[in-house]
């Protein structure tokens, strides 16, 4: 009964103290596509990704009811740095959904107008006002929406008449800055920080340099496919700490419970706190702030033997090694020559095989559909020359001559013509370790990719279009693996099906180097239309600095170089977060996201037919 009454009281006091409207909440996941399009349309940096912001303690004054209920201590501040635009994961500040949605749109406009380095801790208020004034001047359509938001935000803010003098002065300055952007140079000093301003972006938290946080002598790195996902998708802040030495003067060097007493001895199970099989993900779910320290020891969560390079006797057969490729450094805005080393590989022990039984029926259906695209012979009538007479043209000329009409003597023969499809296609499949994850109870991502390549080979075998199949993975810039599955001049037979069946996931996704080498292969083809189909399941990633904005920008530059060579790239991905970065890489019509990975085998040949129909 006591717990029941306590639960009722907790729900009552929390609901009474919370100043939000959950029934009108708008979530960032529902605004993701709109946010990316609007941010780039307003002139924002197209390389920035949109991500949810972490909740942090703001330290502002709260009402007595909020203090009793322990609510309102934290707020998710919108922020921007040189890689990410962070917005609240959910906005429920106003009682109407339209107002909460308008607040998202205004924060996106602010993020597009603010310079990347314009939110320093000493000038962020002035920078927000300058961005607001610039946005209202460049886009007058925002004026009425901004005015409504200011009135709604001011109505939710604390009354200056009920605040101490110093906090009241700061609150009045904030209201003036919102009403007249650019009129306040700085806020008056106060003992407490003001309540969060929902219409402004805050300075971004200091990012942790991953290269500094990793010990240089660690032999095993975190695998790309070994990530764990927080079920709540809640953002958390991180802080740098020194690694504890494991020594504590208050701890006994032995377990006190191991001391036996002659009076009483009870055999009991040890508590959960001493269980050796702790769940780190469950422990992290209870933390608001995660501390990060540098350690020279390996942990079980980082060790993955798949990342060790196999010996030459068990590795794939190298066909050519030491192929040097450039890489784009977006921070220096410089293309570094000969930065990557690529090795061309053939699968070892790939025995020829037939098509799997579960693909026989869809392969038969696709062959029938794609046979309509096969180049066929057709006879052209009334030609000036040809191997046979055109009987219809001859009869028509004889009738015209007998009736006294003019006779067309330019034609009278049949000519046979064969219309060829002047195109080729290269399929580049991501074979990184992340493809080892399961998408269903029976299939992994790599299994879906194998089925897709099998069906794609069967479909294009019916058209006669030249195509090649390749895969890629990487382990730092000096070991990029490029797997040859099928060259353009090889027939799609049992030997190629065996190579597809021998594909194995491993390592990371340095996609820029794979695209550059695939472009070199396509540049040697004589066809006029050169299609590059990229199959991927996530962002560019490698164990060194190749991640985040660096990997995105290098991939973008490699795609631009491919277009200059006459190659048409198109990406097929199962990454649910691809909407945030794929438009920047491939353009609005250069990619497709499959929500169900199992659809890839059937969709890939049909996508090829659509891309080559013109």
């Amino acid at each position: 009964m006591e717990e029941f009454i306590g639960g009722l009281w907790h729900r009552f006091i929390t609901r009474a103290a919370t100043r939000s409207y959950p029934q009108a909440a708008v979530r960032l996941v529902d605004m993701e596509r709109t946010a990316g399009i609007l941010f780039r349309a307003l002139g924002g940096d197209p390389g920035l990704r949109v991500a949810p912001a972490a909740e942090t303690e703001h330290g502002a004054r709260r009402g007595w009811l909020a203090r009793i209920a322990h609510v309102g201590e934290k707020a998710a501040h919108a922020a921007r740095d040189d890689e990410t635009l962070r917005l609240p994961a959910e906005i429920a500040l106003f009682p109407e959904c339209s107002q909460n949605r308008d607040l998202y749109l205004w924060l996106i406009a602010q993020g597009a107008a603010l310079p990347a380095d314009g939110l320093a801790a000493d000038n962020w208020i002035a920078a927000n006002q300058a961005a607001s004034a610039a946005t209202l001047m460049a886009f007058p359509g925002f004026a009425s929406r901004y005015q409504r938001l200011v009135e709604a935000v001011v109505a939710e803010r604390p009354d200056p008449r009920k605040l101490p003098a110093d906090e009241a002065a700061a609150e009045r300055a904030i209201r003036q800055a919102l009403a007249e952007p650019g009129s306040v140079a700085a806020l008056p000093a106060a003992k407490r920080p003001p309540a969060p301003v929902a219409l402004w972006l805050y300075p971004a938290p200091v990012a942790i340099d991953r290269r500094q946080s990793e010990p240089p002598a660690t032999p095993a790195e975190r695998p790309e496919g070994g990530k764990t996902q927080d079920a709540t998708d809640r953002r958390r802040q991180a802080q740098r700490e020194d690694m504890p030495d494991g020594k504590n003067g208050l701890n006994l060097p032995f377990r006190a419970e191991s001391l036996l007493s002659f009076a009483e001895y009870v055999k009991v199970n040890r508590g959960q706190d001493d269980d050796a099989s702790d769940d780190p993900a469950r422990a992290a779910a209870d933390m608001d702030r995660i501390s990060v320290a540098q350690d020279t020891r390996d942990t079980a969560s980082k060790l993955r033997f798949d990342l060790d390079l196999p010996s030459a006797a068990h590795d794939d057969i190298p066909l050519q090694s030491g192929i040097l490729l450039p890489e784009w450094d977006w921070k220096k805005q410089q293309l570094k020559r000969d930065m990557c080393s690529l090795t061309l590989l053939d699968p070892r022990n790939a025995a020829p095989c037939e098509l799997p039984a579960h693909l026989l029926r869809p392969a038969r259906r696709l062959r029938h559909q794609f046979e309509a695209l096969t180049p066929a012979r057709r006879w052209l009538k009334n030609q000036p020359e040809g191997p046979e007479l055109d009987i219809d043209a001859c009869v028509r000329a004889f009738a015209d001559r007998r009736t006294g009409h003019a006779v067309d003597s330019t034609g009278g023969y049949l000519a046979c013509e064969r219309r060829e499809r002047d195109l080729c296609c290269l399929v580049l499949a991501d074979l990184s370790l992340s493809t080892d994850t399961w998408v269903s109870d029976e299939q992994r991502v790599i299994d879906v990719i194998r089925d897709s390549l099998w069906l794609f080979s069967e479909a294009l075998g019916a058209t006669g279009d030249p195509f090649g199949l390749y895969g890629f993975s990487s382990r730092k810039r000096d070991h990029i693996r490029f797997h040859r599955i099928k060259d353009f001049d090889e027939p799609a037979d049992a030997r190629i099906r065996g190579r597809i069946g021998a594909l194995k996931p491993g390592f990371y996704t340095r996609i820029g180097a794979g695209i550059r080498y695939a472009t070199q292969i396509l540049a040697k083809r004589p066809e006029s239309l050169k299609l590059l189909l990229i199959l991927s399941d996530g962002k560019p990633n490698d164990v060194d600095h190749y991640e985040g904005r660096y990997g995105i920008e290098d991939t973008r530059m490699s795609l631009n170089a491919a277009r200059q060579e006459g190659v048409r790239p198109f990406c097929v991905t199962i990454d649910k977060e691809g909407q945030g970065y794929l438009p920047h890489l491939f353009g609005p019509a250069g990619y497709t996201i499959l929500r169900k990975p199992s659809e890839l085998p059937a969709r890939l040949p049909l996508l090829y037919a659509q891309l080559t129909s013109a």
Side-chain angles (χ1 to χ4, degrees):
M1 179 60 68
E2 182 179 354
E3 294 182 358
F4 176 74
I5 298 300
L8 291 178
W9 166 252
H10 174 73
R11 288 192 294 272
F12 169 76
I13 195 65
T14 302
R15 187 163 50 247
T18 302
R19 300 182 62 180
S20 63
Y21 304 90
Q23 70 279 3
V26 178
R27 301 187 63 192
L28 179 60
V29 66
D30 300 326
M31 296 285 296
E32 182 180 6
R33 185 178 182 87
T34 303
I37 295 175
L38 179 62
F39 181 75
R40 295 171 180 87
L42 296 179
D45 188 348
L48 262 66
R49 67 185 184 95
V50 179
E55 290 188 347
T56 57
E57 295 185 5
H58 50 76
R61 184 178 297 275
R62 296 179 295 146
W64 65 272
L65 195 60
R67 294 197 301 270
I68 293 176
H70 294 285
V71 297
E73 298 176 348
K74 300 179 180 180
H77 299 307
R80 178 191 164 177
D81 53 25
D82 56 355
E83 294 191 18
T84 309
L85 172 63
R86 299 196 179 277
L87 300 175
E90 181 180 275
I91 294 181
L93 185 62
F94 308 118
E96 297 182 7
C97 292
S98 59
Q99 290 180 305
N100 293 320
R101 188 176 187 275
D102 287 347
L103 180 54
Y104 263 127
L105 299 180
W106 176 254
L107 292 175
I108 294 168
Q110 284 282 84
L114 279 169
D117 55 350
L119 283 180
D122 55 347
N123 69 340
W124 68 277
I125 296 175
N128 272 286
Q129 295 179 76
S132 300
T135 302
L136 295 174
M137 181 176 296
F139 307 101
F142 270 105
S144 59
R145 180 174 295 170
Y146 177 74
Q147 187 62 35
R148 292 194 301 268
L149 286 173
V150 169
E151 295 174 358
V153 166
V154 169
E156 296 291 334
R157 295 189 61 79
D159 189 351
R161 295 172 298 181
K162 300 180 180 180
L163 297 175
D166 55 345
E167 297 179 28
E171 179 62 27
R172 293 190 185 95
I174 289 176
R175 296 186 177 211
Q176 181 182 348
L178 291 175
E180 301 176 6
S183 60
V184 177
L187 295 182
K191 294 182 179 180
R192 285 178 175 268
V197 184
L199 290 173
W200 289 349
L201 271 70
Y202 281 67
V206 179
I208 294 178
D209 189 352
R210 182 185 176 201
R211 285 169 288 178
Q212 295 179 359
S213 64
E214 289 181 350
T218 300
E221 291 85 4
R222 172 181 53 85
E224 184 180 359
K227 298 181 291 185
T228 58
Q229 182 178 2
D230 187 358
T232 62
D233 291 332
R234 183 160 60 94
R235 307 294 299 184
R236 299 176 181 84
Q237 282 205 326
Q239 63 182 5
R240 175 78 63 184
E241 297 286 354
D242 294 331
M243 191 66 189
D245 57 3
K247 298 178 181 179
N248 192 332
L250 297 179
N251 290 342
L252 295 176
F254 57 90
R255 290 178 177 174
E257 64 267 25
S258 63
L259 296 177
L260 302 182
S261 170
F262 66 90
E264 182 179 9
Y265 173 75
V266 180
K267 185 177 181 181
V268 296
N269 293 329
R270 293 190 52 80
Q272 183 66 25
D273 292 341
D274 294 332
D275 192 358
S277 60
D278 292 335
D279 187 358
R282 181 180 300 177
D286 298 331
M287 298 181 182
D288 295 322
R289 183 184 297 268
I290 298 178
S291 299
V292 181
Q294 180 170 325
D295 191 7
T296 57
R297 296 182 301 173
D298 298 337
T299 59
S301 60
K302 291 178 59 178
L303 187 60
R304 185 68 179 263
F305 293 103
D306 299 30
L307 291 181
D308 293 335
L309 295 178
S311 63
H314 297 87
D315 197 6
D316 292 333
I317 303 172
L319 301 177
Q320 186 179 356
S321 60
I323 303 174
L324 299 179
L325 297 168
E327 189 168 274
W328 175 258
D329 189 336
W330 76 275
K331 291 186 177 180
K332 297 182 179 180
Q333 294 294 299
Q334 176 185 359
L335 184 65
K336 296 183 177 180
R337 304 289 179 181
D338 302 337
M339 279 292 292
C340 301
S341 178
L342 182 142
T343 302
L344 185 62
L345 299 168
D346 241 6
R348 184 181 297 273
N349 300 327
C353 66
E354 297 301 323
L355 201 64
H358 68 281
L359 297 179
L360 292 177
R361 181 174 296 180
R364 190 180 307 113
R365 183 177 63 253
L366 286 173
R367 278 196 296 266
H368 290 326
Q369 293 175 354
F370 276 71
E371 283 174 355
L373 303 177
T374 304
R377 294 176 179 269
R378 70 169 184 169
W379 291 96
L380 303 179
K381 294 185 176 183
N382 201 22
Q383 299 297 310
E385 58 182 12
E388 298 183 15
L389 287 173
D390 186 352
I391 302 300
D392 293 339
C394 293
V395 171
R396 188 166 51 251
F398 178 77
D400 291 342
R401 188 180 297 109
R402 293 295 299 269
T403 56
H405 292 84
V407 179
D408 184 10
S409 59
T410 59
Y413 294 93
L414 293 174
C416 184
E417 183 185 56
R418 179 180 176 87
R419 296 290 180 91
E420 297 287 350
R421 287 160 52 90
D422 191 19
L423 55 88
C424 65
C425 177
L426 188 150
V427 179
L428 185 61
D430 178 6
L431 302 179
S432 60
L433 193 62
S434 60
T435 60
D436 197 24
T437 58
W438 293 87
V439 296
S440 66
D441 294 338
E442 300 178 354
Q443 274 191 325
R444 299 171 298 167
V445 176
I446 188 64
D447 299 326
V448 174
I449 291 178
R450 289 196 196 101
D451 291 351
S452 304
L453 296 180
W454 272 321
L455 290 181
F456 189 81
S457 301
E458 295 296 320
L460 266 66
T463 65
D465 295 340
F467 69 98
L469 305 177
Y470 299 88
F472 74 96
S473 61
S474 65
R475 187 179 183 273
K476 299 185 179 180
R477 62 183 179 89
D478 58 347
H479 188 79
I480 300 170
R481 304 165 64 86
F482 199 85
H483 301 262
R484 186 192 71 167
I485 305 171
K486 177 191 175 300
D487 276 334
F488 282 92
D489 55 354
E490 292 181 306
D493 52 13
R495 185 167 51 92
I496 301 302
R497 290 192 288 269
R499 291 181 182 175
I500 296 175
L503 295 178
K504 296 179 295 184
F507 309 103
Y508 300 88
T509 314
R510 209 178 197 96
I511 189 172
I515 292 175
R516 289 186 175 93
Y517 191 71
T519 302
Q520 294 182 9
I521 297 175
L522 285 171
K524 301 176 183 178
R525 299 295 305 175
E527 291 80 9
S528 59
L529 175 59
K530 303 170 184 178
L531 181 62
L532 174 60
L533 276 178
I534 302 171
L535 307 183
S536 178
D537 69 333
K539 289 183 179 180
N541 173 269
D542 208 336
V543 72
D544 51 11
H545 56 270
Y546 198 87
E547 62 179 357
R549 186 75 182 270
Y550 189 101
I552 292 292
E553 292 299 331
D554 176 64
T555 304
R556 179 172 175 268
M557 295 301 295
S558 67
L559 291 170
N560 291 341
R563 296 185 184 98
Q564 293 176 0
E565 293 291 337
V567 176
R568 181 184 177 185
F570 190 89
C571 179
V572 183
T573 182
I574 60 174
D575 184 11
K576 296 180 180 180
E577 300 179 357
Q579 193 64 51
Y581 63 92
L582 289 177
H584 179 53
L585 299 179
F586 295 92
Y591 68 96
T592 184
I593 300 176
L594 300 182
R595 300 299 177 183
K596 296 181 179 179
S598 57
E599 297 178 354
L600 179 60
R603 287 283 301 277
L604 184 61
L606 300 181
L607 282 172
Y608 172 81
Q610 296 173 6
L611 294 172
T612 59
S613 59

